[in-house]
mmCIF file of all heavy atoms in Angstrom:
data_model
loop_
_atom_site.group_PDB
_atom_site.id
_atom_site.type_symbol
_atom_site.label_atom_id
_atom_site.label_comp_id
_atom_site.label_asym_id
_atom_site.label_seq_id
_atom_site.Cartn_x
_atom_site.Cartn_y
_atom_site.Cartn_z
ATOM 1 N N ASP A 27 70.216 63.419 107.883
ATOM 2 C CA ASP A 27 71.057 62.654 108.792
ATOM 3 C C ASP A 27 70.844 63.039 110.252
ATOM 4 O O ASP A 27 71.333 62.348 111.148
ATOM 5 C CB ASP A 27 72.542 62.853 108.447
ATOM 6 C CG ASP A 27 72.900 62.233 107.105
ATOM 7 O OD1 ASP A 27 72.219 61.280 106.684
ATOM 8 O OD2 ASP A 27 73.883 62.686 106.491
ATOM 9 N N PHE A 28 70.127 64.138 110.495
ATOM 10 C CA PHE A 28 69.879 64.598 111.865
ATOM 11 C C PHE A 28 68.663 65.520 111.838
ATOM 12 O O PHE A 28 68.226 65.958 110.778
ATOM 13 C CB PHE A 28 71.094 65.331 112.445
ATOM 14 C CG PHE A 28 71.552 66.473 111.590
ATOM 15 C CD1 PHE A 28 70.999 67.728 111.725
ATOM 16 C CD2 PHE A 28 72.548 66.276 110.641
ATOM 17 C CE1 PHE A 28 71.408 68.785 110.924
ATOM 18 C CE2 PHE A 28 72.968 67.330 109.837
ATOM 19 C CZ PHE A 28 72.390 68.589 109.979
ATOM 20 N N LEU A 29 68.136 65.798 113.023
ATOM 21 C CA LEU A 29 67.035 66.759 113.164
ATOM 22 C C LEU A 29 67.420 67.754 114.231
ATOM 23 O O LEU A 29 67.780 67.360 115.357
ATOM 24 C CB LEU A 29 65.738 66.042 113.572
ATOM 25 C CG LEU A 29 64.545 66.945 113.905
ATOM 26 C CD1 LEU A 29 64.091 67.731 112.667
ATOM 27 C CD2 LEU A 29 63.396 66.118 114.464
ATOM 28 N N ILE A 30 67.381 69.034 113.896
ATOM 29 C CA ILE A 30 67.613 70.093 114.861
ATOM 30 C C ILE A 30 66.403 71.013 114.856
ATOM 31 O O ILE A 30 65.970 71.472 113.797
ATOM 32 C CB ILE A 30 68.891 70.906 114.542
ATOM 33 C CG1 ILE A 30 70.124 69.999 114.630
ATOM 34 C CG2 ILE A 30 69.021 72.101 115.502
ATOM 35 C CD1 ILE A 30 71.431 70.667 114.277
ATOM 36 N N VAL A 31 65.847 71.251 116.047
ATOM 37 C CA VAL A 31 64.718 72.162 116.219
ATOM 38 C C VAL A 31 65.188 73.249 117.173
ATOM 39 O O VAL A 31 65.184 73.066 118.387
ATOM 40 C CB VAL A 31 63.482 71.424 116.776
ATOM 41 C CG1 VAL A 31 62.291 72.390 116.848
ATOM 42 C CG2 VAL A 31 63.155 70.199 115.933
ATOM 43 N N PRO A 32 65.632 74.400 116.637
ATOM 44 C CA PRO A 32 66.202 75.462 117.473
ATOM 45 C C PRO A 32 65.235 76.028 118.505
ATOM 46 O O PRO A 32 65.625 76.385 119.605
ATOM 47 C CB PRO A 32 66.628 76.533 116.480
ATOM 48 C CG PRO A 32 66.729 75.844 115.166
ATOM 49 C CD PRO A 32 65.719 74.723 115.223
ATOM 50 N N ASP A 33 63.941 76.121 118.151
ATOM 51 C CA ASP A 33 62.924 76.654 119.080
ATOM 52 C C ASP A 33 61.632 75.879 118.840
ATOM 53 O O ASP A 33 60.919 76.143 117.876
ATOM 54 C CB ASP A 33 62.718 78.146 118.859
ATOM 55 C CG ASP A 33 61.811 78.791 119.894
ATOM 56 O OD1 ASP A 33 61.054 78.056 120.582
ATOM 57 O OD2 ASP A 33 61.824 80.024 119.997
ATOM 58 N N THR A 34 61.345 74.945 119.717
ATOM 59 C CA THR A 34 60.167 74.100 119.533
ATOM 60 C C THR A 34 58.857 74.882 119.563
ATOM 61 O O THR A 34 57.881 74.463 118.965
ATOM 62 C CB THR A 34 60.125 73.016 120.628
ATOM 63 O OG1 THR A 34 60.065 73.645 121.909
ATOM 64 C CG2 THR A 34 61.338 72.112 120.549
ATOM 65 N N THR A 35 58.852 76.037 120.231
ATOM 66 C CA THR A 35 57.628 76.824 120.312
ATOM 67 C C THR A 35 57.279 77.499 118.998
ATOM 68 O O THR A 35 56.153 77.936 118.807
ATOM 69 C CB THR A 35 57.721 77.909 121.422
ATOM 70 O OG1 THR A 35 58.726 78.860 121.078
ATOM 71 C CG2 THR A 35 58.027 77.285 122.773
ATOM 72 N N LYS A 36 58.237 77.558 118.087
ATOM 73 C CA LYS A 36 58.012 78.197 116.775
ATOM 74 C C LYS A 36 57.886 77.175 115.654
ATOM 75 O O LYS A 36 57.695 77.558 114.498
ATOM 76 C CB LYS A 36 59.144 79.165 116.468
ATOM 77 C CG LYS A 36 59.170 80.339 117.405
ATOM 78 C CD LYS A 36 60.272 81.299 117.090
ATOM 79 C CE LYS A 36 60.261 82.465 118.079
ATOM 80 N NZ LYS A 36 61.382 83.371 117.863
ATOM 81 N N ASP A 37 57.964 75.888 115.972
ATOM 82 C CA ASP A 37 57.869 74.833 114.964
ATOM 83 C C ASP A 37 56.469 74.214 115.049
ATOM 84 O O ASP A 37 56.097 73.663 116.080
ATOM 85 C CB ASP A 37 58.946 73.766 115.238
ATOM 86 C CG ASP A 37 59.063 72.757 114.130
ATOM 87 O OD1 ASP A 37 58.017 72.211 113.696
ATOM 88 O OD2 ASP A 37 60.192 72.497 113.700
ATOM 89 N N PRO A 38 55.683 74.298 113.956
ATOM 90 C CA PRO A 38 54.306 73.802 114.004
ATOM 91 C C PRO A 38 54.197 72.307 114.294
ATOM 92 O O PRO A 38 53.150 71.842 114.740
ATOM 93 C CB PRO A 38 53.743 74.165 112.641
ATOM 94 C CG PRO A 38 54.903 74.469 111.777
ATOM 95 C CD PRO A 38 56.026 74.898 112.665
ATOM 96 N N ARG A 39 55.249 71.541 114.070
ATOM 97 C CA ARG A 39 55.219 70.105 114.410
ATOM 98 C C ARG A 39 55.211 69.873 115.914
ATOM 99 O O ARG A 39 54.754 68.830 116.386
ATOM 100 C CB ARG A 39 56.436 69.375 113.816
ATOM 101 C CG ARG A 39 56.471 69.383 112.297
ATOM 102 C CD ARG A 39 57.782 68.817 111.814
ATOM 103 N NE ARG A 39 58.884 69.723 112.211
ATOM 104 C CZ ARG A 39 60.163 69.478 111.948
ATOM 105 N NH1 ARG A 39 60.530 68.365 111.328
ATOM 106 N NH2 ARG A 39 61.088 70.345 112.323
ATOM 107 N N PHE A 40 55.729 70.854 116.677
ATOM 108 C CA PHE A 40 55.961 70.631 118.102
ATOM 109 C C PHE A 40 55.347 71.676 119.032
ATOM 110 O O PHE A 40 55.284 71.430 120.240
ATOM 111 C CB PHE A 40 57.474 70.577 118.376
ATOM 112 C CG PHE A 40 58.180 69.556 117.526
ATOM 113 C CD1 PHE A 40 59.048 69.959 116.527
ATOM 114 C CD2 PHE A 40 57.968 68.208 117.712
ATOM 115 C CE1 PHE A 40 59.702 69.028 115.737
ATOM 116 C CE2 PHE A 40 58.612 67.265 116.931
ATOM 117 C CZ PHE A 40 59.474 67.674 115.940
ATOM 118 N N ASN A 41 54.925 72.810 118.529
ATOM 119 C CA ASN A 41 54.536 73.919 119.418
ATOM 120 C C ASN A 41 53.331 73.610 120.326
ATOM 121 O O ASN A 41 53.152 74.257 121.350
ATOM 122 C CB ASN A 41 54.333 75.218 118.665
ATOM 123 C CG ASN A 41 53.209 75.169 117.672
ATOM 124 O OD1 ASN A 41 52.604 74.142 117.452
ATOM 125 N ND2 ASN A 41 52.949 76.292 117.027
ATOM 126 N N GLU A 42 52.530 72.606 120.013
ATOM 127 C CA GLU A 42 51.416 72.203 120.871
ATOM 128 C C GLU A 42 51.687 70.882 121.588
ATOM 129 O O GLU A 42 50.819 70.359 122.281
ATOM 130 C CB GLU A 42 50.120 72.129 120.074
ATOM 131 C CG GLU A 42 49.692 73.499 119.563
ATOM 132 C CD GLU A 42 48.378 73.462 118.815
ATOM 133 O OE1 GLU A 42 47.640 72.457 118.915
ATOM 134 O OE2 GLU A 42 48.081 74.454 118.134
ATOM 135 N N ASN A 43 52.873 70.355 121.459
ATOM 136 C CA ASN A 43 53.270 69.106 122.089
ATOM 137 C C ASN A 43 53.295 69.300 123.609
ATOM 138 O O ASN A 43 53.861 70.281 124.099
ATOM 139 C CB ASN A 43 54.661 68.725 121.570
ATOM 140 C CG ASN A 43 55.147 67.387 122.043
ATOM 141 O OD1 ASN A 43 55.035 67.037 123.212
ATOM 142 N ND2 ASN A 43 55.741 66.647 121.130
ATOM 143 N N PRO A 44 52.679 68.410 124.390
ATOM 144 C CA PRO A 44 52.692 68.586 125.856
ATOM 145 C C PRO A 44 54.096 68.546 126.466
ATOM 146 O O PRO A 44 54.286 69.077 127.560
ATOM 147 C CB PRO A 44 51.824 67.424 126.361
ATOM 148 C CG PRO A 44 51.634 66.516 125.219
ATOM 149 C CD PRO A 44 51.894 67.265 123.974
ATOM 150 N N LEU A 45 55.068 67.982 125.765
ATOM 151 C CA LEU A 45 56.452 68.001 126.270
ATOM 152 C C LEU A 45 57.092 69.375 126.075
ATOM 153 O O LEU A 45 58.134 69.657 126.657
ATOM 154 C CB LEU A 45 57.284 66.922 125.569
ATOM 155 C CG LEU A 45 56.765 65.496 125.702
ATOM 156 C CD1 LEU A 45 57.578 64.535 124.821
ATOM 157 C CD2 LEU A 45 56.762 65.051 127.141
ATOM 158 N N VAL A 46 56.454 70.221 125.275
ATOM 159 C CA VAL A 46 56.912 71.605 125.045
ATOM 160 C C VAL A 46 56.111 72.571 125.917
ATOM 161 O O VAL A 46 56.688 73.461 126.543
ATOM 162 C CB VAL A 46 56.755 71.985 123.550
ATOM 163 C CG1 VAL A 46 57.024 73.451 123.314
ATOM 164 C CG2 VAL A 46 57.662 71.115 122.676
ATOM 165 N N THR A 47 54.794 72.366 125.962
ATOM 166 C CA THR A 47 53.931 73.290 126.685
ATOM 167 C C THR A 47 53.925 73.076 128.182
ATOM 168 O O THR A 47 53.462 73.925 128.938
ATOM 169 C CB THR A 47 52.489 73.207 126.140
ATOM 170 O OG1 THR A 47 52.000 71.875 126.352
ATOM 171 C CG2 THR A 47 52.424 73.564 124.670
ATOM 172 N N GLY A 48 54.405 71.934 128.631
ATOM 173 C CA GLY A 48 54.477 71.600 130.059
ATOM 174 C C GLY A 48 55.770 70.835 130.328
ATOM 175 O O GLY A 48 56.623 70.719 129.462
ATOM 176 N N PRO A 49 55.901 70.324 131.547
ATOM 177 C CA PRO A 49 57.125 69.594 131.886
ATOM 178 C C PRO A 49 57.372 68.445 130.910
ATOM 179 O O PRO A 49 56.416 67.781 130.521
ATOM 180 C CB PRO A 49 56.843 69.057 133.294
ATOM 181 C CG PRO A 49 55.797 69.951 133.842
ATOM 182 C CD PRO A 49 54.959 70.382 132.656
ATOM 183 N N PRO A 50 58.566 68.298 130.443
ATOM 184 C CA PRO A 50 59.833 68.880 130.869
ATOM 185 C C PRO A 50 60.200 70.187 130.165
ATOM 186 O O PRO A 50 61.327 70.635 130.226
ATOM 187 C CB PRO A 50 60.843 67.788 130.548
ATOM 188 C CG PRO A 50 60.293 67.127 129.323
ATOM 189 C CD PRO A 50 58.792 67.156 129.518
ATOM 190 N N ASP A 51 59.236 70.822 129.481
ATOM 191 C CA ASP A 51 59.431 72.149 128.870
ATOM 192 C C ASP A 51 60.560 72.168 127.839
ATOM 193 O O ASP A 51 61.416 73.060 127.844
ATOM 194 C CB ASP A 51 59.686 73.205 129.956
ATOM 195 C CG ASP A 51 58.516 73.302 130.913
ATOM 196 O OD1 ASP A 51 57.386 73.500 130.436
ATOM 197 O OD2 ASP A 51 58.728 73.164 132.129
ATOM 198 N N ILE A 52 60.533 71.219 126.922
ATOM 199 C CA ILE A 52 61.568 71.127 125.885
ATOM 200 C C ILE A 52 61.433 72.308 124.919
ATOM 201 O O ILE A 52 60.375 72.517 124.328
ATOM 202 C CB ILE A 52 61.456 69.803 125.118
ATOM 203 C CG1 ILE A 52 61.681 68.633 126.072
ATOM 204 C CG2 ILE A 52 62.435 69.770 123.941
ATOM 205 C CD1 ILE A 52 61.317 67.282 125.491
ATOM 206 N N LYS A 53 62.473 73.075 124.771
ATOM 207 C CA LYS A 53 62.483 74.223 123.855
ATOM 208 C C LYS A 53 63.518 74.058 122.738
ATOM 209 O O LYS A 53 63.492 74.806 121.765
ATOM 210 C CB LYS A 53 62.767 75.524 124.631
ATOM 211 C CG LYS A 53 61.770 75.806 125.744
ATOM 212 C CD LYS A 53 60.346 75.914 125.228
ATOM 213 C CE LYS A 53 59.346 76.310 126.272
ATOM 214 N NZ LYS A 53 58.645 75.218 126.922
ATOM 215 N N PHE A 54 64.412 73.107 122.879
ATOM 216 C CA PHE A 54 65.426 72.821 121.866
ATOM 217 C C PHE A 54 65.596 71.308 121.771
ATOM 218 O O PHE A 54 65.580 70.608 122.791
ATOM 219 C CB PHE A 54 66.769 73.459 122.255
ATOM 220 C CG PHE A 54 67.920 72.993 121.398
ATOM 221 C CD1 PHE A 54 68.139 73.558 120.165
ATOM 222 C CD2 PHE A 54 68.767 71.980 121.841
ATOM 223 C CE1 PHE A 54 69.191 73.110 119.367
ATOM 224 C CE2 PHE A 54 69.817 71.539 121.055
ATOM 225 C CZ PHE A 54 70.029 72.104 119.809
ATOM 226 N N TYR A 55 65.744 70.817 120.523
ATOM 227 C CA TYR A 55 65.983 69.393 120.298
ATOM 228 C C TYR A 55 67.014 69.239 119.188
ATOM 229 O O TYR A 55 66.937 69.910 118.164
ATOM 230 C CB TYR A 55 64.693 68.695 119.865
ATOM 231 C CG TYR A 55 64.903 67.267 119.427
ATOM 232 C CD1 TYR A 55 64.833 66.238 120.348
ATOM 233 C CD2 TYR A 55 65.207 66.958 118.120
ATOM 234 C CE1 TYR A 55 65.052 64.926 119.969
ATOM 235 C CE2 TYR A 55 65.439 65.654 117.716
ATOM 236 C CZ TYR A 55 65.359 64.638 118.644
ATOM 237 O OH TYR A 55 65.577 63.338 118.257
ATOM 238 N N ALA A 56 67.954 68.328 119.381
ATOM 239 C CA ALA A 56 68.884 67.919 118.324
ATOM 240 C C ALA A 56 69.086 66.410 118.464
ATOM 241 O O ALA A 56 69.418 65.927 119.548
ATOM 242 C CB ALA A 56 70.218 68.644 118.444
ATOM 243 N N GLY A 57 68.804 65.681 117.391
ATOM 244 C CA GLY A 57 68.931 64.233 117.449
ATOM 245 C C GLY A 57 69.476 63.660 116.155
ATOM 246 O O GLY A 57 69.251 64.201 115.079
ATOM 247 N N VAL A 58 70.185 62.555 116.320
ATOM 248 C CA VAL A 58 70.745 61.830 115.181
ATOM 249 C C VAL A 58 70.249 60.392 115.279
ATOM 250 O O VAL A 58 70.282 59.787 116.364
ATOM 251 C CB VAL A 58 72.284 61.919 115.147
ATOM 252 C CG1 VAL A 58 72.922 61.357 116.389
ATOM 253 C CG2 VAL A 58 72.857 61.278 113.892
ATOM 254 N N PRO A 59 69.764 59.824 114.170
ATOM 255 C CA PRO A 59 69.262 58.452 114.212
ATOM 256 C C PRO A 59 70.371 57.437 114.514
ATOM 257 O O PRO A 59 71.524 57.606 114.106
ATOM 258 C CB PRO A 59 68.711 58.225 112.799
ATOM 259 C CG PRO A 59 68.391 59.584 112.291
ATOM 260 C CD PRO A 59 69.460 60.472 112.879
ATOM 261 N N LEU A 60 69.963 56.405 115.239
ATOM 262 C CA LEU A 60 70.836 55.253 115.482
ATOM 263 C C LEU A 60 70.433 54.175 114.480
ATOM 264 O O LEU A 60 69.250 53.834 114.359
ATOM 265 C CB LEU A 60 70.629 54.730 116.914
ATOM 266 C CG LEU A 60 70.910 55.745 118.020
ATOM 267 C CD1 LEU A 60 70.517 55.162 119.368
ATOM 268 C CD2 LEU A 60 72.376 56.143 118.003
ATOM 269 N N LEU A 61 71.418 53.661 113.763
ATOM 270 C CA LEU A 61 71.162 52.730 112.678
ATOM 271 C C LEU A 61 71.567 51.309 113.048
ATOM 272 O O LEU A 61 72.611 51.097 113.674
ATOM 273 C CB LEU A 61 71.918 53.141 111.422
ATOM 274 C CG LEU A 61 71.681 54.551 110.893
ATOM 275 C CD1 LEU A 61 72.589 54.839 109.711
ATOM 276 C CD2 LEU A 61 70.230 54.740 110.497
ATOM 277 N N SER A 62 70.755 50.339 112.583
ATOM 278 C CA SER A 62 71.128 48.939 112.714
ATOM 279 C C SER A 62 72.222 48.645 111.672
ATOM 280 O O SER A 62 72.429 49.443 110.742
ATOM 281 C CB SER A 62 69.928 48.048 112.463
ATOM 282 O OG SER A 62 69.591 48.037 111.073
ATOM 283 N N PRO A 63 72.911 47.513 111.770
ATOM 284 C CA PRO A 63 73.919 47.162 110.745
ATOM 285 C C PRO A 63 73.322 47.123 109.332
ATOM 286 O O PRO A 63 74.025 47.371 108.349
ATOM 287 C CB PRO A 63 74.421 45.779 111.175
ATOM 288 C CG PRO A 63 74.193 45.751 112.647
ATOM 289 C CD PRO A 63 72.914 46.541 112.865
ATOM 290 N N GLU A 64 72.028 46.853 109.239
ATOM 291 C CA GLU A 64 71.358 46.807 107.937
ATOM 292 C C GLU A 64 70.914 48.180 107.458
ATOM 293 O O GLU A 64 70.374 48.328 106.366
ATOM 294 C CB GLU A 64 70.140 45.873 107.990
ATOM 295 C CG GLU A 64 70.482 44.448 108.343
ATOM 296 C CD GLU A 64 70.692 44.209 109.835
ATOM 297 O OE1 GLU A 64 70.228 45.023 110.658
ATOM 298 O OE2 GLU A 64 71.351 43.220 110.168
ATOM 299 N N GLY A 65 71.078 49.219 108.274
ATOM 300 C CA GLY A 65 70.715 50.570 107.883
ATOM 301 C C GLY A 65 69.340 51.035 108.340
ATOM 302 O O GLY A 65 68.894 52.104 107.966
ATOM 303 N N TYR A 66 68.656 50.243 109.180
ATOM 304 C CA TYR A 66 67.346 50.649 109.689
ATOM 305 C C TYR A 66 67.511 51.655 110.827
ATOM 306 O O TYR A 66 68.370 51.492 111.691
ATOM 307 C CB TYR A 66 66.558 49.444 110.202
ATOM 308 C CG TYR A 66 66.228 48.455 109.113
ATOM 309 C CD1 TYR A 66 66.904 47.231 109.051
ATOM 310 C CD2 TYR A 66 65.263 48.737 108.149
ATOM 311 C CE1 TYR A 66 66.610 46.315 108.049
ATOM 312 C CE2 TYR A 66 64.974 47.837 107.143
ATOM 313 C CZ TYR A 66 65.650 46.628 107.112
ATOM 314 O OH TYR A 66 65.364 45.732 106.109
ATOM 315 N N LYS A 67 66.674 52.688 110.825
ATOM 316 C CA LYS A 67 66.697 53.676 111.906
ATOM 317 C C LYS A 67 65.876 53.135 113.071
ATOM 318 O O LYS A 67 64.688 52.921 112.955
ATOM 319 C CB LYS A 67 66.130 55.000 111.418
ATOM 320 C CG LYS A 67 66.968 55.646 110.332
ATOM 321 C CD LYS A 67 66.329 56.918 109.827
ATOM 322 C CE LYS A 67 67.155 57.558 108.731
ATOM 323 N NZ LYS A 67 66.503 58.774 108.204
ATOM 324 N N LEU A 68 66.553 52.924 114.200
ATOM 325 C CA LEU A 68 65.939 52.285 115.359
ATOM 326 C C LEU A 68 65.525 53.268 116.451
ATOM 327 O O LEU A 68 64.622 53.007 117.234
ATOM 328 C CB LEU A 68 66.906 51.281 115.973
ATOM 329 C CG LEU A 68 67.434 50.200 115.050
ATOM 330 C CD1 LEU A 68 68.482 49.363 115.755
ATOM 331 C CD2 LEU A 68 66.284 49.338 114.547
ATOM 332 N N GLY A 69 66.208 54.380 116.517
ATOM 333 C CA GLY A 69 65.987 55.370 117.562
ATOM 334 C C GLY A 69 66.968 56.499 117.378
ATOM 335 O O GLY A 69 67.463 56.717 116.267
ATOM 336 N N THR A 70 67.292 57.195 118.458
ATOM 337 C CA THR A 70 68.188 58.344 118.338
ATOM 338 C C THR A 70 69.101 58.500 119.552
ATOM 339 O O THR A 70 68.813 57.994 120.639
ATOM 340 C CB THR A 70 67.409 59.676 118.213
ATOM 341 O OG1 THR A 70 66.732 59.926 119.428
ATOM 342 C CG2 THR A 70 66.466 59.677 117.044
ATOM 343 N N LEU A 71 70.133 59.263 119.326
ATOM 344 C CA LEU A 71 70.916 59.904 120.377
ATOM 345 C C LEU A 71 70.546 61.366 120.252
ATOM 346 O O LEU A 71 70.663 61.949 119.169
ATOM 347 C CB LEU A 71 72.417 59.700 120.150
ATOM 348 C CG LEU A 71 73.344 60.554 121.035
ATOM 349 C CD1 LEU A 71 73.157 60.225 122.505
ATOM 350 C CD2 LEU A 71 74.773 60.363 120.604
ATOM 351 N N CYS A 72 70.043 61.948 121.341
ATOM 352 C CA CYS A 72 69.584 63.334 121.237
ATOM 353 C C CYS A 72 69.927 64.135 122.481
ATOM 354 O O CYS A 72 70.169 63.570 123.548
ATOM 355 C CB CYS A 72 68.086 63.398 120.960
ATOM 356 S SG CYS A 72 67.065 62.701 122.269
ATOM 357 N N VAL A 73 69.957 65.452 122.305
ATOM 358 C CA VAL A 73 70.125 66.387 123.403
ATOM 359 C C VAL A 73 68.957 67.360 123.364
ATOM 360 O O VAL A 73 68.442 67.689 122.296
ATOM 361 C CB VAL A 73 71.493 67.141 123.349
ATOM 362 C CG1 VAL A 73 72.638 66.180 123.584
ATOM 363 C CG2 VAL A 73 71.671 67.875 122.031
#
C-alpha cells in the first residue's frame, strides 16, 4: 500500500540513481499510490 525507502544510498534499486547521487540528493522517500475510482494506480503522494 506504500513504499518507504529509509536510506536510498543503501537500497540497490536507487543507490546509483542520479536523483540520489546528485541534486536534489534524495536520501529518504515515502510514497503512497493515488488510485483511480476503478482502482488503477496513477501516481503518488510522496515526501
